[in-house]
Structure formats: structure tokens, C-alpha cells
């Protein structure tokens, strides 16, 4: 019973960081970098607590569940977190003495950490169920390595073998439960953010549908009178003022159209379409826009790229992204568009430019309400694009480097 109590104490040491992080940190800390630093420190404190109150048996033999904070910290935090936590384990273990246990710690980490880091990227890009399986598998691997080295350095006995088996079972169960707990909390957090955004969009839609008609009437009247005033014998300066006024009215009308895109109810009018044909059509539509800006579009499109979607909405999304790519190159350049099927059942559309690029913070904000990198932009065009792709059960990934360019990767479910 004493061993079980000690393990339950260690369980408490690991629950506290999860509670603190998801209760107080995720809502208050805005940047990923700061969140990772805090998460690393919390898992580090958990490791120190677990190692300070271990399960002691036999001749000064020690067992603790430091594998759990090390594993979860590395999988969710990445390379630097894993490296820091591993160094912390080694240094703190050295504090207890330079003995066989220290060698066992170093050897197990040397064989386990590279494997954990190898699977970290797969873990990050996987779905919930696969993440749980990866975490449990890595926990099993770590424990088996630990048992092997423990027996090699100290020798096996019935008492030590029983405790090692209890440690193995407890570690696997706790890894499964904690990974599932974290994934569930993350899902709830994501759903809450989506609900908040949906509420914002609902308010935008309601307000826009009420005021759009009343706003457009005086705008159309103003535009008509300005066109009547634009006579051939007017001074050039006045003609310029009239032209600017007309352009600003047109821009205001485009903003209203973007707002109305949110206000319209989503109608399931999707059909089986060929993405290749739609991309070529979009390129033809936007070709005149590229000529004025000294931009060239190159395409690489394969056949058999069929999806289930609304062609008009897909075109609207692609045009918005293409316009952003073109406008990000004030001195001209090249835009590449590729469309290929993937091995995992998606159609991958890549739109890549040579523009000014974005920082990590700007990429995280992309597609958010009212966020735009353009001085006169509203961010609604890009937000509409993200919303359209998600309505087709697709995904958008953005890669960018400042002053080098941006790459949009659109993944849409393929059909035959």
C-alpha cells in the first residue's frame, strides 16, 4: 500500500501543472513562445517534485514518474522543452549522488529522448486518437528501457521486478489518462474559441443585413451624381478628385459585400467539381490584375483532382488568396500555383509568392476578424477564404518568412 500511496502522490504533482496551465495560462498569455516557456517551467517543477519524493524500495533503489512530465512536455513543447527537461533530470539526479542510479538515468535518457523527439512532429500533426497511442507507445518504450538497464546494472529480484511492473502499468495508465485529458481540454478550448468567433460573425451578419440596404442606397445615388459631374471640360484636378471618390465608394461596396458573406445562411449547394478547371478559371479571371502589377503566375496542375464543393465559393476563396499574394509584391514577382492529389486522400493546392512575407505572430492572426496586413484592409477577405475552406471540411496551412515570401497550403478531401 505504501508504494501505491507514493505513486498517487506523484500523480498529484503532475495534475497540478495541467490544472495551472489550462486554467490560468492559456487565456492570459497570448504568444505561443511565452506559453511554451511557462509550460516548460511547470513540467520542470513537476519533475523536481516527482524526483524529490520517489518510491524507495530495496537497497536505496528509487522509482518515480518523471517520464510523464518529460514525455508530455517534449511532445507538446518540442525540441527545446525536451532538451531542457532532460538536462534538468540529469542535473537534479546528480544532486542525489554520483552512483549507479545516475548512470541508469543518463543511459535511459540517451536511448529514449531521440526516439521521443523523432515522433514529436508526427504527434503534433496527428489527430486525437493517434496522439494518445503515440504517447502510450513512447511511455512503454521508456519504461522497458528503464527496466532493462535497471536489471543490467543492479540485477533482478522478485521485489524489484514487482515494483518495476507496478511502475510500468501505472506509467502507461497515467500517460493514457493525462494525454486524453489534455487533448479533451484542448478540444474544449478550441470549440470555445470557434463559438466566440461564430458569435462575432453572427453579430456582423445581423448588423450588416439590417444596414446594408440603407447604406447602399445613398452610396449608389452619390456615385451616380459623381459620374454626372465628371464632364470632359472639367479641370484635371477635379477629375482626379471625382475618380478617387468613385474608387472609395467602390471599396466601401466591396467591404459591404464581404460583410454580407457572413450574414448569408450557409446553403449546402456543393457538387462534384474538378479543382484543376476551377484554378485555371481563377487564373484567367485575375490575369489582368497581375499585368498592372508586373506579376507572373505559373501553374502546375495534375488531372484527377475532384472534390465536393461549391465552385463559386471555391473561386472566391482562391481569388482572395491570390490577390493577397499579388499585393504582397509591390515590385512585381512570381506566383506559383500547384494542384496535386496526396497519398492520404486530399487534394493539395499550393499558392506561393515572393512577397514581403509575415512574422510568426502575423501568421497566427491571419484569418481572424478585422485583422489585415494592408493599411486600408479589413481582413474580411482572408477571413471569408478561411471560412469557405473549412466549410468544405478542408484545412489551410500557412508558411512564411519575412522578406522571402508566403506559401498557402490548402487541403481538401478528395473524391473519386
Amino acid at each position: 500500500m505504501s508504494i501505491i500511496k507514493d505513486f498517487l502522490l506523484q500523480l498529484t504533482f503532475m495534475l497540478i501543472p495541467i490544472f495551472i496551465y489550462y486554467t490560468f495560462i492559456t487565456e492570459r498569455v497570448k504568444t505561443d513562445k511565452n506559453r511554451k516557456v511557462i509550460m516548460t517551467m511547470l513540467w520542470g517543477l513537476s519533475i523536481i517534485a516527482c524526483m524529490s519524493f520517489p518510491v524507495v524500495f530495496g537497497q536505496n533503489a528509487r522509482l518515480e514518474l518523471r517520464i510523464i512530465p518529460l514525455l508530455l512536455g517534449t511532445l507538446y513543447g518540442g525540441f527545446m522543452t525536451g532538451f531542457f527537461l532532460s538536462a534538468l533530470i540529469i542535473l537534479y539526479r546528480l544532486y542525489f549522488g554520483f552512483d549507479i542510479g545516475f548512470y541508469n538515468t543518463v543511459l535511459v535518457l540517451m536511448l529514449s529522448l531521440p526516439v521521443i523527439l523523432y515522433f514529436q512532429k508526427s504527434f503534433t500533426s496527428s489527430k486525437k486518437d493517434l496522439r494518445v497511442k503515440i504517447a502510450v507507445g513512447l511511455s512503454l518504450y521508456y519504461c522497458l528501457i528503464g527496466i532493462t538497464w535497471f536489471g543490467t546494472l543492479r540485477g533482478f529480484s522478485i521485489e524489484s521486478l514487482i515494483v518495476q511492473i507496478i511502475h510500468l502499468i501505472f506509467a502507461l495508465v497515467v500517460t493514457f489518462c493525462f494525454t486524453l485529458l489534455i487533448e479533451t481540454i484542448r478540444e474544449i478550448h478550441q470549440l470555445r474559441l470557434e463559438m466566440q468567433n461564430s458569435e462575432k460573425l453572427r453579430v456582423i451578419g445581423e448588423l450588416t443585413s439590417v444596414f446594408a440596404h440603407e447604406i447602399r442606397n445613398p452610396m449608389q445615388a452619390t456615385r451616380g451624381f459623381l459620374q454626372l459631374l465628371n464632364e470632359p471640360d472639367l479641370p484635371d484636378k477635379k477629375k482626379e478628385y471625382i475618380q478617387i471618390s468613385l474608387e472609395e465608394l467602390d471599396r466601401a461596396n466591396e467591404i459591404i459585400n464581404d460583410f454580407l458573406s457572413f450574414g448569408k445562411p450557409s446553403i449546402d449547394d456543393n457538387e462534384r467539381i474538378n479543382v484543376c478547371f476551377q484554378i485555371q478559371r481563377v487564373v484567367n479571371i485575375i490575369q489582368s490584375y497581375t499585368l498592372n502589377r508586373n506579376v507572373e503566375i505559373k501553374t502546375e496542375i495534375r488531372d484527377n483532382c475532384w472534390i465536393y464543393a461549391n465552385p463559386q465559393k471555391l473561386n472566391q476563396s482562391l481569388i482572395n488568396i491570390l490577390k493577397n499574394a499579388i499585393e504582397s509584391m509591390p515590385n512585381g514577382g512570381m506566383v506559383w500555383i500547384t494542384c496535386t492529389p496526396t497519398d492520404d486522400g486530399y487534394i493539395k493546392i499550393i499558392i506561393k509568392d515572393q512577397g514581403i512575407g509575415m512574422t510568426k505572430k502575423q501568421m497566427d492572426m491571419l484569418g481572424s476578424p478585422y485583422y489585415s496586413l494592408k493599411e486600408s484592409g479589413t481582413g474580411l477577405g482572408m477571413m471569408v477564404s478561411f471560412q469557405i475552406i473549412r466549410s468544405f471540411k478542408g484545412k489551410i496551412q500557412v508558411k512564411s518568412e519575412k522578406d522571402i515570401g508566403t506559401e498557402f497550403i490548402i487541403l481538401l478531401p478528395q473524391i473519386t
Side-chain angles (χ1 to χ4, degrees):
M1 286 300 294
S2 176
I3 291 175
I4 301 297
K5 288 180 181 179
D6 289 339
F7 276 128
L8 288 175
L9 178 62
Q10 302 224 340
L11 187 66
T12 305
F13 293 146
M14 290 176 285
L15 272 172
I16 291 173
I18 295 175
F19 172 78
I20 292 174
Y21 181 79
Y22 287 103
T23 304
F24 301 105
I25 305 303
T26 52
E27 295 291 336
R28 291 171 173 80
V29 180
K30 301 302 180 184
T31 62
D32 285 339
K33 183 178 180 181
N34 290 339
R35 282 199 291 262
K36 279 188 179 182
V37 170
I38 294 172
M39 181 176 66
T40 302
M41 300 306 295
L42 288 172
W43 284 126
L45 292 173
S46 177
I47 287 173
I48 291 173
C50 288
M51 294 178 69
S52 299
F53 300 93
V55 180
V56 180
F57 66 97
Q59 298 179 348
N60 295 324
R62 304 159 53 91
L63 275 179
E64 75 279 316
L65 290 174
R66 63 189 175 202
I67 167 58
I68 312 297
L70 170 65
L71 178 62
L72 296 179
T74 304
L75 290 177
Y76 286 103
F79 174 80
M80 292 304 298
T81 301
F83 182 80
F84 174 82
L85 295 178
S86 300
L88 180 65
I89 289 173
I90 293 172
L91 292 173
Y92 195 58
R93 184 60 187 85
L94 186 60
Y95 168 78
F96 292 104
F98 199 76
D99 53 13
I100 293 177
F102 174 77
Y103 289 117
N104 184 73
T105 298
V106 174
L107 290 169
V108 171
L109 282 174
M110 286 177 61
L111 292 173
S112 301
L113 185 62
V115 177
I116 295 173
L117 291 173
Y118 176 79
F119 283 97
Q120 194 270 332
K121 285 187 177 180
S122 300
F123 178 87
T124 303
S125 59
S126 299
K127 295 182 179 179
K128 176 181 175 180
D129 293 341
L130 185 55
R131 285 188 175 195
V132 174
K133 291 177 183 178
I134 291 173
V136 172
L138 290 173
S139 181
L140 175 63
Y141 173 77
Y142 182 97
C143 291
L144 291 176
I145 294 294
I147 292 172
T148 303
W149 278 113
F150 183 89
T152 303
L153 296 174
R154 292 180 180 270
F156 289 102
S157 65
I158 298 298
E159 181 188 6
S160 66
L161 190 59
I162 290 173
V163 175
Q164 291 281 358
I165 291 173
I166 293 173
H167 175 265
L168 172 63
I169 295 172
F170 204 77
L172 294 181
V173 171
V174 171
T175 302
F176 174 83
C177 293
F178 277 20
T179 308
L180 194 60
L181 174 65
I182 292 172
E183 287 299 314
T184 303
I185 293 173
R186 284 161 63 96
E187 276 186 356
I188 293 171
H189 179 68
Q190 185 63 33
L191 284 172
R192 186 166 62 179
L193 290 177
E194 289 177 2
M195 286 180 64
Q196 289 173 353
N197 284 336
S198 297
E199 182 62 20
K200 291 178 183 177
L201 298 181
R202 186 186 67 80
V203 173
I204 291 171
E206 289 181 356
L207 291 174
T208 305
S209 61
V210 171
F211 293 113
H213 180 70
E214 299 301 325
I215 293 171
R216 274 179 165 166
N217 281 343
M219 282 176 57
Q220 291 300 326
T222 304
R223 197 180 197 286
F225 284 119
L226 284 171
Q227 288 176 323
L228 290 174
L229 290 172
N230 194 12
E231 296 178 352
D233 57 346
L234 275 178
D236 291 340
K237 202 66 177 175
K238 289 187 178 181
K239 284 186 176 182
E240 182 184 346
Y241 293 155
I242 290 174
Q243 184 60 35
I244 292 172
S245 299
L246 290 171
E247 289 174 359
E248 289 301 300
L249 284 171
D250 290 339
R251 193 171 73 85
N253 193 50
E254 288 179 5
I255 293 171
I256 292 173
N257 287 334
D258 286 336
F259 274 111
L260 285 172
S261 297
F262 297 112
K264 293 176 183 176
S266 179
I267 301 172
D268 188 13
D269 51 358
N270 296 338
E271 59 186 71
R272 185 175 182 268
I273 62 172
N274 186 350
V275 181
C276 305
F277 174 77
Q278 298 302 326
I279 290 177
Q280 197 59 57
R281 186 176 179 182
V282 166
V283 171
N284 292 337
I285 292 171
I286 210 166
Q287 201 72 53
S288 59
Y289 190 69
T290 63
L291 295 175
N292 297 330
R293 295 175 176 267
N294 194 29
V295 173
E296 183 181 354
I297 297 179
K298 285 194 174 182
T299 59
E300 183 182 338
I301 302 172
R302 294 188 186 178
D303 294 330
N304 197 29
C305 293
W306 293 90
I307 64 170
Y308 188 68
N310 180 292
Q312 286 77 27
K313 289 182 178 179
L314 177 64
N315 291 353
Q316 181 186 359
S317 175
L318 294 176
I319 288 172
N320 283 339
I321 295 174
L322 271 172
K323 282 185 70 177
N324 276 1
I326 294 165
E327 290 168 0
S328 73
M329 298 183 289
N331 300 320
M334 189 82 66
V335 176
W336 292 269
I337 306 176
T338 63
C339 178
T340 56
T342 65
D343 295 332
D344 53 352
Y346 284 94
I347 298 298
K348 180 191 283 187
I349 304 170
I350 299 177
I351 300 176
K352 186 177 180 181
D353 62 57
Q354 297 175 315
I356 57 176
M358 293 180 285
T359 63
K360 179 66 168 62
K361 183 178 179 180
Q362 290 171 333
M363 282 192 290
D364 293 338
M365 292 292 293
L366 202 63
S368 301
Y370 312 118
Y371 181 78
S372 176
L373 297 175
K374 294 178 282 188
E375 291 182 4
S376 59
T378 62
L380 291 171
M382 189 56 65
M383 192 173 176
V384 169
S385 299
F386 275 69
Q387 189 185 46
I388 289 171
I389 297 302
R390 288 171 186 147
S391 71
F392 299 152
K393 298 180 180 179
K395 296 178 284 188
I396 294 186
Q397 302 168 0
V398 184
K399 298 178 182 178
S400 186
E401 290 186 50
K402 201 66 177 171
D403 300 323
I404 293 179
T406 301
E407 182 179 34
F408 280 84
I409 302 172
I410 302 171
L411 297 171
L412 296 166
Q414 183 181 19
I415 61 172
T416 54

